[in-house]
Amino acid sequence: MEKSSKPAYGGQAIVEGVMFGGKHTTVSMIRRKDGSLDSFEVERQSPAWVTKAKKIPFVRGIAGIIEASINGSKHLNFSSDRYDVDPSEDDSIKPTEKSSKLNLILGVAAVAVLSFLFSKLVFTLVPAFLANLFTPILPGHVAQNLLEGGFKLILLLGYLYLLSFTPLIRRVFQYHGAEHKVINAYEAGQPLTVQSVQASSRLHYRCGSSFILFTVIVGVGLYLFLPFDSLMERILQRIVLIPVVLGISYEVLQLTNRFRDIPVLKWLGYPGLALQLLTTKEPNDEQTEVAIASFNEMLTREQSYTSSAKADIV
């Protein structure tokens, strides 16, 4: 099969595992406390408005983010709930507890969307406040926007760098690397063996980390065309433009993925790839084995729905 004809599958690193998504289903695989593998599936059942919105340029990115946040939170909840529990203890969970966990998953899905919006709000407004403090020194509109973008970038890089020192997050970053390696190997037509996958790159043009960086770059460019007269006007402007920045950034992400094999244009995705040096780490063989098992399980279940599949963000 040619690389260009392969479906563009996406995925997400979770606690001690990896989730992969196709057009009809999302499947995660985790390593349990006893070393065994355990899987979890969530069938894609997008509301009609989401399906329609995902076909509209500059709107589809926001719809995709909402859907990914909801589905991803369910898999993340599954992994964090079970990875450190011995499988022999599974039967001891009472039916009422299982029901509570299902309700919790629905709650976590809602929290995931709100958490994303809140974090985006924080990363948008804090740099604006900081840049405003330097108005007496750098009062120009262009200088203020560049300074705001600089603070935003420092905040993002510093946050990710500090996170990487947390043992649990570092392992999640390793599984993130394993996820990318599997997709890169698959798209390159390589066999999905541990040895072959490990030889693949842990960086990928379609990664959500790149998307986050592009929101910074797009924001700086967009704000240059929108002057403001006060801090309050600046803040309101940034809040209102969050959906616009997200929509444009998603299109930029897709564009860099299409251009990644064109020598002159592939550098457009380099900033996002550079950020992935922080958000991904080299996985060990056991972690890569989990990622491969997750991807193969997703393919198997996807084929039970249809022979063709397609997803969005890695």
Side-chain angles (χ1 to χ4, degrees), residues 8 21-24 26 44-69 71 250-251 254 258 310-313:
K23 182 178 181 180
H24 301 282
T26 56
R44 286 187 184 274
Q45 294 179 330
S46 302
W49 71 268
V50 172
T51 302
K52 293 179 180 178
K54 290 177 71 175
K55 298 178 181 179
I56 305 174
F58 301 104
V59 175
R60 57 188 177 184
I62 299 174
I65 290 170
I66 294 175
E67 183 181 50
S69 297
N71 286 334
Y250 179 83
E251 300 303 324
Q254 298 302 312
R258 294 191 192 98
K310 185 177 182 180
D312 295 320
I313 298 181

PDB file of all heavy atoms in Angstrom, residues 8 21-24 26 44-69 71 250-251 254 258 310-313:
ATOM      1  N   ALA A   8      -5.093   8.374   7.820  1.00  0.00           N
ATOM      2  CA  ALA A   8      -4.305   9.186   8.755  1.00  0.00           C
ATOM      3  C   ALA A   8      -4.817   8.963  10.171  1.00  0.00           C
ATOM      4  O   ALA A   8      -5.626   9.727  10.692  1.00  0.00           O
ATOM      5  CB  ALA A   8      -4.404  10.661   8.379  1.00  0.00           C
ATOM      6  N   GLY A  21      -7.055   6.100  17.519  1.00  0.00           N
ATOM      7  CA  GLY A  21      -8.415   6.283  17.049  1.00  0.00           C
ATOM      8  C   GLY A  21      -8.533   6.147  15.547  1.00  0.00           C
ATOM      9  O   GLY A  21      -7.668   6.598  14.799  1.00  0.00           O
ATOM     10  N   GLY A  22      -9.610   5.511  15.113  1.00  0.00           N
ATOM     11  CA  GLY A  22      -9.944   5.418  13.704  1.00  0.00           C
ATOM     12  C   GLY A  22     -11.197   6.227  13.441  1.00  0.00           C
ATOM     13  O   GLY A  22     -11.597   7.066  14.260  1.00  0.00           O
ATOM     14  N   LYS A  23     -11.836   5.963  12.332  1.00  0.00           N
ATOM     15  CA  LYS A  23     -13.042   6.705  11.976  1.00  0.00           C
ATOM     16  C   LYS A  23     -14.236   6.296  12.830  1.00  0.00           C
ATOM     17  O   LYS A  23     -15.108   7.110  13.128  1.00  0.00           O
ATOM     18  CB  LYS A  23     -13.373   6.473  10.494  1.00  0.00           C
ATOM     19  CG  LYS A  23     -14.579   7.244  10.009  1.00  0.00           C
ATOM     20  CD  LYS A  23     -14.822   7.009   8.527  1.00  0.00           C
ATOM     21  CE  LYS A  23     -16.015   7.805   8.019  1.00  0.00           C
ATOM     22  NZ  LYS A  23     -16.258   7.582   6.576  1.00  0.00           N
ATOM     23  N   HIS A  24     -14.249   5.031  13.257  1.00  0.00           N
ATOM     24  CA  HIS A  24     -15.421   4.508  13.954  1.00  0.00           C
ATOM     25  C   HIS A  24     -15.192   4.163  15.414  1.00  0.00           C
ATOM     26  O   HIS A  24     -16.154   4.004  16.160  1.00  0.00           O
ATOM     27  CB  HIS A  24     -15.940   3.254  13.232  1.00  0.00           C
ATOM     28  CG  HIS A  24     -16.328   3.512  11.809  1.00  0.00           C
ATOM     29  ND1 HIS A  24     -17.520   4.109  11.457  1.00  0.00           N
ATOM     30  CD2 HIS A  24     -15.673   3.271  10.642  1.00  0.00           C
ATOM     31  CE1 HIS A  24     -17.594   4.223  10.140  1.00  0.00           C
ATOM     32  NE2 HIS A  24     -16.483   3.727   9.628  1.00  0.00           N
ATOM     33  N   THR A  26     -12.241   4.227  19.031  1.00  0.00           N
ATOM     34  CA  THR A  26     -10.968   4.568  19.673  1.00  0.00           C
ATOM     35  C   THR A  26     -10.635   3.438  20.648  1.00  0.00           C
ATOM     36  O   THR A  26     -11.506   2.980  21.400  1.00  0.00           O
ATOM     37  CB  THR A  26     -11.063   5.900  20.434  1.00  0.00           C
ATOM     38  OG1 THR A  26     -12.132   5.840  21.391  1.00  0.00           O
ATOM     39  CG2 THR A  26     -11.318   7.051  19.473  1.00  0.00           C
ATOM     40  N   ARG A  44     -16.870   5.706  18.411  1.00  0.00           N
ATOM     41  CA  ARG A  44     -17.140   7.098  18.051  1.00  0.00           C
ATOM     42  C   ARG A  44     -18.624   7.266  17.755  1.00  0.00           C
ATOM     43  O   ARG A  44     -19.164   6.634  16.853  1.00  0.00           O
ATOM     44  CB  ARG A  44     -16.329   7.496  16.810  1.00  0.00           C
ATOM     45  CG  ARG A  44     -14.843   7.706  17.070  1.00  0.00           C
ATOM     46  CD  ARG A  44     -14.182   8.249  15.816  1.00  0.00           C
ATOM     47  NE  ARG A  44     -12.750   8.395  15.939  1.00  0.00           N
ATOM     48  CZ  ARG A  44     -12.126   9.455  16.433  1.00  0.00           C
ATOM     49  NH1 ARG A  44     -12.842  10.477  16.866  1.00  0.00           N
ATOM     50  NH2 ARG A  44     -10.816   9.505  16.488  1.00  0.00           N
ATOM     51  N   GLN A  45     -19.271   8.123  18.523  1.00  0.00           N
ATOM     52  CA  GLN A  45     -20.689   8.428  18.296  1.00  0.00           C
ATOM     53  C   GLN A  45     -20.866   9.943  18.370  1.00  0.00           C
ATOM     54  O   GLN A  45     -21.439  10.482  19.310  1.00  0.00           O
ATOM     55  CB  GLN A  45     -21.561   7.720  19.335  1.00  0.00           C
ATOM     56  CG  GLN A  45     -21.529   6.200  19.216  1.00  0.00           C
ATOM     57  CD  GLN A  45     -22.388   5.518  20.261  1.00  0.00           C
ATOM     58  OE1 GLN A  45     -22.573   6.018  21.363  1.00  0.00           O
ATOM     59  NE2 GLN A  45     -22.932   4.357  19.913  1.00  0.00           N
ATOM     60  N   SER A  46     -20.341  10.603  17.372  1.00  0.00           N
ATOM     61  CA  SER A  46     -20.350  12.060  17.351  1.00  0.00           C
ATOM     62  C   SER A  46     -21.751  12.593  17.097  1.00  0.00           C
ATOM     63  O   SER A  46     -22.476  12.075  16.243  1.00  0.00           O
ATOM     64  CB  SER A  46     -19.405  12.583  16.266  1.00  0.00           C
ATOM     65  OG  SER A  46     -18.092  12.108  16.477  1.00  0.00           O
ATOM     66  N   PRO A  47     -22.135  13.648  17.821  1.00  0.00           N
ATOM     67  CA  PRO A  47     -23.422  14.299  17.544  1.00  0.00           C
ATOM     68  C   PRO A  47     -23.440  14.816  16.114  1.00  0.00           C
ATOM     69  O   PRO A  47     -22.382  15.073  15.519  1.00  0.00           O
ATOM     70  CB  PRO A  47     -23.452  15.454  18.560  1.00  0.00           C
ATOM     71  CG  PRO A  47     -22.509  15.027  19.647  1.00  0.00           C
ATOM     72  CD  PRO A  47     -21.437  14.245  18.959  1.00  0.00           C
ATOM     73  N   ALA A  48     -24.602  14.995  15.577  1.00  0.00           N
ATOM     74  CA  ALA A  48     -24.741  15.432  14.179  1.00  0.00           C
ATOM     75  C   ALA A  48     -24.025  16.752  13.926  1.00  0.00           C
ATOM     76  O   ALA A  48     -23.394  16.943  12.886  1.00  0.00           O
ATOM     77  CB  ALA A  48     -26.213  15.545  13.810  1.00  0.00           C
ATOM     78  N   TRP A  49     -24.094  17.663  14.908  1.00  0.00           N
ATOM     79  CA  TRP A  49     -23.494  18.983  14.706  1.00  0.00           C
ATOM     80  C   TRP A  49     -21.972  18.885  14.629  1.00  0.00           C
ATOM     81  O   TRP A  49     -21.330  19.658  13.907  1.00  0.00           O
ATOM     82  CB  TRP A  49     -23.921  19.951  15.799  1.00  0.00           C
ATOM     83  CG  TRP A  49     -23.319  19.678  17.157  1.00  0.00           C
ATOM     84  CD1 TRP A  49     -23.852  18.919  18.158  1.00  0.00           C
ATOM     85  CD2 TRP A  49     -22.070  20.176  17.653  1.00  0.00           C
ATOM     86  NE1 TRP A  49     -23.026  18.893  19.246  1.00  0.00           N
ATOM     87  CE2 TRP A  49     -21.911  19.662  18.972  1.00  0.00           C
ATOM     88  CE3 TRP A  49     -21.070  20.984  17.127  1.00  0.00           C
ATOM     89  CZ2 TRP A  49     -20.808  19.936  19.757  1.00  0.00           C
ATOM     90  CZ3 TRP A  49     -19.952  21.260  17.905  1.00  0.00           C
ATOM     91  CH2 TRP A  49     -19.825  20.754  19.211  1.00  0.00           C
ATOM     92  N   VAL A  50     -21.392  17.932  15.382  1.00  0.00           N
ATOM     93  CA  VAL A  50     -19.940  17.743  15.341  1.00  0.00           C
ATOM     94  C   VAL A  50     -19.519  17.199  13.980  1.00  0.00           C
ATOM     95  O   VAL A  50     -18.534  17.659  13.383  1.00  0.00           O
ATOM     96  CB  VAL A  50     -19.481  16.790  16.463  1.00  0.00           C
ATOM     97  CG1 VAL A  50     -17.992  16.456  16.290  1.00  0.00           C
ATOM     98  CG2 VAL A  50     -19.720  17.409  17.825  1.00  0.00           C
ATOM     99  N   THR A  51     -20.283  16.215  13.491  1.00  0.00           N
ATOM    100  CA  THR A  51     -19.979  15.633  12.177  1.00  0.00           C
ATOM    101  C   THR A  51     -20.033  16.694  11.080  1.00  0.00           C
ATOM    102  O   THR A  51     -19.162  16.734  10.201  1.00  0.00           O
ATOM    103  CB  THR A  51     -20.986  14.513  11.855  1.00  0.00           C
ATOM    104  OG1 THR A  51     -20.920  13.519  12.885  1.00  0.00           O
ATOM    105  CG2 THR A  51     -20.646  13.862  10.520  1.00  0.00           C
ATOM    106  N   LYS A  52     -21.034  17.548  11.141  1.00  0.00           N
ATOM    107  CA  LYS A  52     -21.160  18.608  10.139  1.00  0.00           C
ATOM    108  C   LYS A  52     -20.056  19.649  10.300  1.00  0.00           C
ATOM    109  O   LYS A  52     -19.474  20.125   9.320  1.00  0.00           O
ATOM    110  CB  LYS A  52     -22.528  19.271  10.256  1.00  0.00           C
ATOM    111  CG  LYS A  52     -23.693  18.365   9.887  1.00  0.00           C
ATOM    112  CD  LYS A  52     -25.028  19.086  10.041  1.00  0.00           C
ATOM    113  CE  LYS A  52     -26.196  18.168   9.672  1.00  0.00           C
ATOM    114  NZ  LYS A  52     -27.514  18.847   9.858  1.00  0.00           N
ATOM    115  N   ALA A  53     -19.766  20.002  11.554  1.00  0.00           N
ATOM    116  CA  ALA A  53     -18.759  21.028  11.823  1.00  0.00           C
ATOM    117  C   ALA A  53     -17.371  20.583  11.371  1.00  0.00           C
ATOM    118  O   ALA A  53     -16.561  21.409  10.931  1.00  0.00           O
ATOM    119  CB  ALA A  53     -18.739  21.362  13.310  1.00  0.00           C
ATOM    120  N   LYS A  54     -17.094  19.282  11.443  1.00  0.00           N
ATOM    121  CA  LYS A  54     -15.771  18.767  11.071  1.00  0.00           C
ATOM    122  C   LYS A  54     -15.537  18.790   9.569  1.00  0.00           C
ATOM    123  O   LYS A  54     -14.457  18.449   9.102  1.00  0.00           O
ATOM    124  CB  LYS A  54     -15.594  17.349  11.621  1.00  0.00           C
ATOM    125  CG  LYS A  54     -15.457  17.314  13.138  1.00  0.00           C
ATOM    126  CD  LYS A  54     -15.365  15.900  13.668  1.00  0.00           C
ATOM    127  CE  LYS A  54     -14.051  15.256  13.311  1.00  0.00           C
ATOM    128  NZ  LYS A  54     -13.906  13.917  13.927  1.00  0.00           N
ATOM    129  N   LYS A  55     -16.548  19.201   8.818  1.00  0.00           N
ATOM    130  CA  LYS A  55     -16.402  19.323   7.367  1.00  0.00           C
ATOM    131  C   LYS A  55     -16.199  20.783   6.936  1.00  0.00           C
ATOM    132  O   LYS A  55     -16.000  21.058   5.765  1.00  0.00           O
ATOM    133  CB  LYS A  55     -17.641  18.755   6.669  1.00  0.00           C
ATOM    134  CG  LYS A  55     -17.865  17.267   6.918  1.00  0.00           C
ATOM    135  CD  LYS A  55     -19.136  16.790   6.236  1.00  0.00           C
ATOM    136  CE  LYS A  55     -19.386  15.313   6.505  1.00  0.00           C
ATOM    137  NZ  LYS A  55     -20.638  14.826   5.865  1.00  0.00           N
ATOM    138  N   ILE A  56     -16.254  21.689   7.913  1.00  0.00           N
ATOM    139  CA  ILE A  56     -16.143  23.119   7.603  1.00  0.00           C
ATOM    140  C   ILE A  56     -14.751  23.634   7.970  1.00  0.00           C
ATOM    141  O   ILE A  56     -14.367  23.578   9.144  1.00  0.00           O
ATOM    142  CB  ILE A  56     -17.199  23.932   8.374  1.00  0.00           C
ATOM    143  CG1 ILE A  56     -18.607  23.388   8.091  1.00  0.00           C
ATOM    144  CG2 ILE A  56     -17.115  25.411   8.000  1.00  0.00           C
ATOM    145  CD1 ILE A  56     -19.690  24.035   8.934  1.00  0.00           C
ATOM    146  N   PRO A  57     -13.978  24.117   7.000  1.00  0.00           N
ATOM    147  CA  PRO A  57     -12.648  24.667   7.296  1.00  0.00           C
ATOM    148  C   PRO A  57     -12.722  25.766   8.357  1.00  0.00           C
ATOM    149  O   PRO A  57     -13.666  26.552   8.379  1.00  0.00           O
ATOM    150  CB  PRO A  57     -12.191  25.224   5.943  1.00  0.00           C
ATOM    151  CG  PRO A  57     -12.931  24.401   4.933  1.00  0.00           C
ATOM    152  CD  PRO A  57     -14.279  24.143   5.559  1.00  0.00           C
ATOM    153  N   PHE A  58     -11.717  25.799   9.242  1.00  0.00           N
ATOM    154  CA  PHE A  58     -11.588  26.776  10.330  1.00  0.00           C
ATOM    155  C   PHE A  58     -12.584  26.545  11.460  1.00  0.00           C
ATOM    156  O   PHE A  58     -12.476  27.171  12.510  1.00  0.00           O
ATOM    157  CB  PHE A  58     -11.710  28.214   9.810  1.00  0.00           C
ATOM    158  CG  PHE A  58     -10.674  28.573   8.777  1.00  0.00           C
ATOM    159  CD1 PHE A  58     -11.018  28.635   7.438  1.00  0.00           C
ATOM    160  CD2 PHE A  58      -9.365  28.803   9.140  1.00  0.00           C
ATOM    161  CE1 PHE A  58     -10.060  28.954   6.476  1.00  0.00           C
ATOM    162  CE2 PHE A  58      -8.406  29.122   8.196  1.00  0.00           C
ATOM    163  CZ  PHE A  58      -8.747  29.191   6.857  1.00  0.00           C
ATOM    164  N   VAL A  59     -13.541  25.660  11.250  1.00  0.00           N
ATOM    165  CA  VAL A  59     -14.464  25.278  12.316  1.00  0.00           C
ATOM    166  C   VAL A  59     -14.185  23.839  12.738  1.00  0.00           C
ATOM    167  O   VAL A  59     -14.336  23.476  13.905  1.00  0.00           O
ATOM    168  CB  VAL A  59     -15.942  25.409  11.851  1.00  0.00           C
ATOM    169  CG1 VAL A  59     -16.899  24.895  12.928  1.00  0.00           C
ATOM    170  CG2 VAL A  59     -16.257  26.859  11.521  1.00  0.00           C
ATOM    171  N   ARG A  60     -13.748  23.032  11.783  1.00  0.00           N
ATOM    172  CA  ARG A  60     -13.517  21.609  12.044  1.00  0.00           C
ATOM    173  C   ARG A  60     -12.468  21.369  13.127  1.00  0.00           C
ATOM    174  O   ARG A  60     -12.536  20.375  13.858  1.00  0.00           O
ATOM    175  CB  ARG A  60     -13.102  20.906  10.759  1.00  0.00           C
ATOM    176  CG  ARG A  60     -11.859  21.484  10.081  1.00  0.00           C
ATOM    177  CD  ARG A  60     -11.637  20.850   8.734  1.00  0.00           C
ATOM    178  NE  ARG A  60     -10.494  21.445   8.026  1.00  0.00           N
ATOM    179  CZ  ARG A  60     -10.125  21.117   6.785  1.00  0.00           C
ATOM    180  NH1 ARG A  60     -10.819  20.206   6.137  1.00  0.00           N
ATOM    181  NH2 ARG A  60      -9.094  21.698   6.217  1.00  0.00           N
ATOM    182  N   GLY A  61     -11.510  22.276  13.228  1.00  0.00           N
ATOM    183  CA  GLY A  61     -10.484  22.112  14.254  1.00  0.00           C
ATOM    184  C   GLY A  61     -11.058  22.189  15.647  1.00  0.00           C
ATOM    185  O   GLY A  61     -10.714  21.388  16.522  1.00  0.00           O
ATOM    186  N   ILE A  62     -11.958  23.140  15.883  1.00  0.00           N
ATOM    187  CA  ILE A  62     -12.581  23.304  17.199  1.00  0.00           C
ATOM    188  C   ILE A  62     -13.458  22.103  17.524  1.00  0.00           C
ATOM    189  O   ILE A  62     -13.452  21.585  18.642  1.00  0.00           O
ATOM    190  CB  ILE A  62     -13.408  24.602  17.232  1.00  0.00           C
ATOM    191  CG1 ILE A  62     -12.487  25.801  16.982  1.00  0.00           C
ATOM    192  CG2 ILE A  62     -14.122  24.752  18.567  1.00  0.00           C
ATOM    193  CD1 ILE A  62     -13.225  27.109  16.855  1.00  0.00           C
ATOM    194  N   ALA A  63     -14.221  21.633  16.526  1.00  0.00           N
ATOM    195  CA  ALA A  63     -15.070  20.446  16.723  1.00  0.00           C
ATOM    196  C   ALA A  63     -14.207  19.226  17.041  1.00  0.00           C
ATOM    197  O   ALA A  63     -14.545  18.413  17.905  1.00  0.00           O
ATOM    198  CB  ALA A  63     -15.908  20.190  15.476  1.00  0.00           C
ATOM    199  N   GLY A  64     -13.077  19.118  16.333  1.00  0.00           N
ATOM    200  CA  GLY A  64     -12.174  17.997  16.581  1.00  0.00           C
ATOM    201  C   GLY A  64     -11.568  18.037  17.963  1.00  0.00           C
ATOM    202  O   GLY A  64     -11.386  17.001  18.615  1.00  0.00           O
ATOM    203  N   ILE A  65     -11.235  19.241  18.441  1.00  0.00           N
ATOM    204  CA  ILE A  65     -10.667  19.398  19.776  1.00  0.00           C
ATOM    205  C   ILE A  65     -11.660  18.960  20.842  1.00  0.00           C
ATOM    206  O   ILE A  65     -11.314  18.261  21.794  1.00  0.00           O
ATOM    207  CB  ILE A  65     -10.243  20.865  20.013  1.00  0.00           C
ATOM    208  CG1 ILE A  65      -9.039  21.212  19.152  1.00  0.00           C
ATOM    209  CG2 ILE A  65      -9.918  21.100  21.491  1.00  0.00           C
ATOM    210  CD1 ILE A  65      -8.706  22.681  19.141  1.00  0.00           C
ATOM    211  N   ILE A  66     -12.906  19.372  20.678  1.00  0.00           N
ATOM    212  CA  ILE A  66     -13.944  19.002  21.642  1.00  0.00           C
ATOM    213  C   ILE A  66     -14.125  17.485  21.678  1.00  0.00           C
ATOM    214  O   ILE A  66     -14.165  16.865  22.747  1.00  0.00           O
ATOM    215  CB  ILE A  66     -15.282  19.680  21.287  1.00  0.00           C
ATOM    216  CG1 ILE A  66     -15.156  21.198  21.457  1.00  0.00           C
ATOM    217  CG2 ILE A  66     -16.412  19.133  22.156  1.00  0.00           C
ATOM    218  CD1 ILE A  66     -16.377  21.970  21.010  1.00  0.00           C
ATOM    219  N   GLU A  67     -14.213  16.881  20.505  1.00  0.00           N
ATOM    220  CA  GLU A  67     -14.391  15.432  20.427  1.00  0.00           C
ATOM    221  C   GLU A  67     -13.190  14.699  21.004  1.00  0.00           C
ATOM    222  O   GLU A  67     -13.340  13.724  21.759  1.00  0.00           O
ATOM    223  CB  GLU A  67     -14.612  15.014  18.979  1.00  0.00           C
ATOM    224  CG  GLU A  67     -14.887  13.515  18.816  1.00  0.00           C
ATOM    225  CD  GLU A  67     -15.075  13.122  17.367  1.00  0.00           C
ATOM    226  OE1 GLU A  67     -14.212  13.502  16.540  1.00  0.00           O
ATOM    227  OE2 GLU A  67     -16.059  12.430  17.057  1.00  0.00           O
ATOM    228  N   ALA A  68     -11.982  15.157  20.665  1.00  0.00           N
ATOM    229  CA  ALA A  68     -10.765  14.509  21.158  1.00  0.00           C
ATOM    230  C   ALA A  68     -10.644  14.637  22.668  1.00  0.00           C
ATOM    231  O   ALA A  68     -10.192  13.702  23.348  1.00  0.00           O
ATOM    232  CB  ALA A  68      -9.541  15.122  20.473  1.00  0.00           C
ATOM    233  N   SER A  69     -11.049  15.776  23.212  1.00  0.00           N
ATOM    234  CA  SER A  69     -10.982  15.976  24.658  1.00  0.00           C
ATOM    235  C   SER A  69     -11.917  15.028  25.394  1.00  0.00           C
ATOM    236  O   SER A  69     -11.556  14.454  26.425  1.00  0.00           O
ATOM    237  CB  SER A  69     -11.349  17.429  25.000  1.00  0.00           C
ATOM    238  OG  SER A  69     -10.424  18.331  24.439  1.00  0.00           O
ATOM    239  N   ASN A  71     -13.293  12.046  24.185  1.00  0.00           N
ATOM    240  CA  ASN A  71     -12.867  10.657  24.032  1.00  0.00           C
ATOM    241  C   ASN A  71     -11.572  10.380  24.779  1.00  0.00           C
ATOM    242  O   ASN A  71     -11.412   9.345  25.431  1.00  0.00           O
ATOM    243  CB  ASN A  71     -12.679  10.329  22.548  1.00  0.00           C
ATOM    244  CG  ASN A  71     -13.995  10.189  21.813  1.00  0.00           C
ATOM    245  OD1 ASN A  71     -15.017   9.852  22.414  1.00  0.00           O
ATOM    246  ND2 ASN A  71     -13.995  10.453  20.518  1.00  0.00           N
ATOM    247  N   TYR A 250      -5.334  24.960  13.535  1.00  0.00           N
ATOM    248  CA  TYR A 250      -5.616  23.602  13.073  1.00  0.00           C
ATOM    249  C   TYR A 250      -5.354  23.486  11.577  1.00  0.00           C
ATOM    250  O   TYR A 250      -4.777  22.492  11.115  1.00  0.00           O
ATOM    251  CB  TYR A 250      -7.062  23.226  13.377  1.00  0.00           C
ATOM    252  CG  TYR A 250      -7.432  21.837  12.911  1.00  0.00           C
ATOM    253  CD1 TYR A 250      -7.147  20.720  13.681  1.00  0.00           C
ATOM    254  CD2 TYR A 250      -8.059  21.649  11.673  1.00  0.00           C
ATOM    255  CE1 TYR A 250      -7.479  19.444  13.245  1.00  0.00           C
ATOM    256  CE2 TYR A 250      -8.393  20.377  11.235  1.00  0.00           C
ATOM    257  CZ  TYR A 250      -8.105  19.286  12.023  1.00  0.00           C
ATOM    258  OH  TYR A 250      -8.422  18.030  11.575  1.00  0.00           O
ATOM    259  N   GLU A 251      -5.779  24.495  10.820  1.00  0.00           N
ATOM    260  CA  GLU A 251      -5.562  24.463   9.370  1.00  0.00           C
ATOM    261  C   GLU A 251      -4.070  24.534   9.043  1.00  0.00           C
ATOM    262  O   GLU A 251      -3.598  23.890   8.104  1.00  0.00           O
ATOM    263  CB  GLU A 251      -6.311  25.619   8.697  1.00  0.00           C
ATOM    264  CG  GLU A 251      -7.816  25.608   8.894  1.00  0.00           C
ATOM    265  CD  GLU A 251      -8.474  24.325   8.418  1.00  0.00           C
ATOM    266  OE1 GLU A 251      -8.021  23.758   7.388  1.00  0.00           O
ATOM    267  OE2 GLU A 251      -9.452  23.880   9.062  1.00  0.00           O
ATOM    268  N   GLN A 254      -2.607  21.057   9.585  1.00  0.00           N
ATOM    269  CA  GLN A 254      -2.911  20.167   8.473  1.00  0.00           C
ATOM    270  C   GLN A 254      -2.075  20.516   7.241  1.00  0.00           C
ATOM    271  O   GLN A 254      -1.638  19.634   6.497  1.00  0.00           O
ATOM    272  CB  GLN A 254      -4.403  20.252   8.129  1.00  0.00           C
ATOM    273  CG  GLN A 254      -5.337  19.828   9.254  1.00  0.00           C
ATOM    274  CD  GLN A 254      -5.073  18.407   9.722  1.00  0.00           C
ATOM    275  OE1 GLN A 254      -4.954  17.479   8.935  1.00  0.00           O
ATOM    276  NE2 GLN A 254      -4.963  18.237  11.031  1.00  0.00           N
ATOM    277  N   ARG A 258       0.672  18.188   5.042  1.00  0.00           N
ATOM    278  CA  ARG A 258       0.611  17.942   3.602  1.00  0.00           C
ATOM    279  C   ARG A 258       1.929  18.290   2.918  1.00  0.00           C
ATOM    280  O   ARG A 258       2.285  17.691   1.907  1.00  0.00           O
ATOM    281  CB  ARG A 258      -0.516  18.772   2.968  1.00  0.00           C
ATOM    282  CG  ARG A 258      -1.916  18.384   3.411  1.00  0.00           C
ATOM    283  CD  ARG A 258      -2.965  19.053   2.545  1.00  0.00           C
ATOM    284  NE  ARG A 258      -4.296  18.930   3.111  1.00  0.00           N
ATOM    285  CZ  ARG A 258      -4.899  19.880   3.824  1.00  0.00           C
ATOM    286  NH1 ARG A 258      -4.281  21.029   4.033  1.00  0.00           N
ATOM    287  NH2 ARG A 258      -6.107  19.696   4.309  1.00  0.00           N
ATOM    288  N   LYS A 310     -10.373   6.870   8.929  1.00  0.00           N
ATOM    289  CA  LYS A 310      -9.593   8.114   8.878  1.00  0.00           C
ATOM    290  C   LYS A 310      -9.769   8.860  10.207  1.00  0.00           C
ATOM    291  O   LYS A 310     -10.849   8.878  10.774  1.00  0.00           O
ATOM    292  CB  LYS A 310     -10.059   9.013   7.736  1.00  0.00           C
ATOM    293  CG  LYS A 310      -9.193  10.258   7.558  1.00  0.00           C
ATOM    294  CD  LYS A 310      -9.686  11.051   6.356  1.00  0.00           C
ATOM    295  CE  LYS A 310      -8.795  12.273   6.145  1.00  0.00           C
ATOM    296  NZ  LYS A 310      -9.233  13.074   4.997  1.00  0.00           N
ATOM    297  N   ALA A 311      -8.656   9.447  10.714  1.00  0.00           N
ATOM    298  CA  ALA A 311      -8.704  10.237  11.944  1.00  0.00           C
ATOM    299  C   ALA A 311      -7.966  11.547  11.701  1.00  0.00           C
ATOM    300  O   ALA A 311      -7.494  11.793  10.604  1.00  0.00           O
ATOM    301  CB  ALA A 311      -8.082   9.453  13.091  1.00  0.00           C
ATOM    302  N   ASP A 312      -7.865  12.374  12.750  1.00  0.00           N
ATOM    303  CA  ASP A 312      -7.362  13.721  12.540  1.00  0.00           C
ATOM    304  C   ASP A 312      -5.985  13.996  13.146  1.00  0.00           C
ATOM    305  O   ASP A 312      -4.995  14.040  12.420  1.00  0.00           O
ATOM    306  CB  ASP A 312      -8.365  14.740  13.125  1.00  0.00           C
ATOM    307  CG  ASP A 312      -9.671  14.685  12.365  1.00  0.00           C
ATOM    308  OD1 ASP A 312      -9.649  14.563  11.139  1.00  0.00           O
ATOM    309  OD2 ASP A 312     -10.710  14.743  13.020  1.00  0.00           O
ATOM    310  N   ILE A 313      -5.899  14.236  14.477  1.00  0.00           N
ATOM    311  CA  ILE A 313      -4.652  14.696  15.086  1.00  0.00           C
ATOM    312  C   ILE A 313      -3.909  13.556  15.765  1.00  0.00           C
ATOM    313  O   ILE A 313      -4.477  12.735  16.435  1.00  0.00           O
ATOM    314  CB  ILE A 313      -4.932  15.807  16.118  1.00  0.00           C
ATOM    315  CG1 ILE A 313      -5.559  16.999  15.419  1.00  0.00           C
ATOM    316  CG2 ILE A 313      -3.675  16.238  16.826  1.00  0.00           C
ATOM    317  CD1 ILE A 313      -5.860  18.151  16.331  1.00  0.00           C
TER     318      ILE A 313
END
